[in-house]
Amino acid sequence: DTDAGKMPLKDLLQNKQARMQGLLVIHNGKIVLEEYMGMRELDKHSWFSASKQLLGLTVHILEEEGLIDLEQTINHYIPEYDSDDWKKLKVKHLLHHVSGMDYVETNANFMNPEHPLAKSVAFSLSTRYEDAGESVFDLMKGVKSYVKPGVKYDYSSMNTQILGFIVERVTNKKYEDVVAEKIWTQVGMESDGHYALSAQGEPLSAGYFASRLRDFGRFAMLYTPSWN
């Protein structure tokens, strides 16, 4: 059942209203369906927020290695974030989107050109030769809380972005290099993945990552019995 009526999957894949780019189905570790309707097999497509799983897995790996403590405060890892609000916030609050910080992804925040969330998106995605404005790191430093941490679930890509900054601080490496070292080069990927960088060179760990569809599938298999 679709907005364009009832149709078999094969028709939906070719329906221009659906605008589907590619579809990969893996069953018991084997590819059983692979179609490329709007992209080529070797093209890389953005994962968008599904790539937050790369960040989450990286954080947990570093936790196992003793480099990150989920109960530690953000200020412990990023001393520049020295307001009382940041000092109350723990790594686990960012990881589970219960930070209580005023950068929640609402239409009102996105549409307000003076809001830190709107600025961070606009500045980080600025085009070549455009005034890039402040860095995402500096914009997030001044954000205030609106509710006590751990009380309310409110999804925000900025939670993930700040965790990416923490990964860089505890490893003294670029975030994308840590993902490559800990995950991408360890699980049989067939091609490079690509992170977008802000105009200031910050990795946009909140969701701007792209790979081939088969490598997307390989990553998903890490969470199934077919992982090995």
Side-chain angles (χ1 to χ4, degrees), residues 207-227:
Y208 295 101
F209 177 81
S211 81
R212 293 180 186 174
L213 186 56
R214 283 193 177 191
D215 286 340
F216 201 168
R218 284 182 174 94
F219 180 74
M221 285 172 61
L222 294 178
Y223 299 91
T224 74
S226 302
W227 69 270

Side-chain angles (χ1 to χ4, degrees), residues 30 51 91 109 148 160 180 192 223:
K30 303 292 183 182
S51 69
V91 174
N109 287 345
K148 183 180 177 181
T160 312
D192 289 344
Y223 299 91

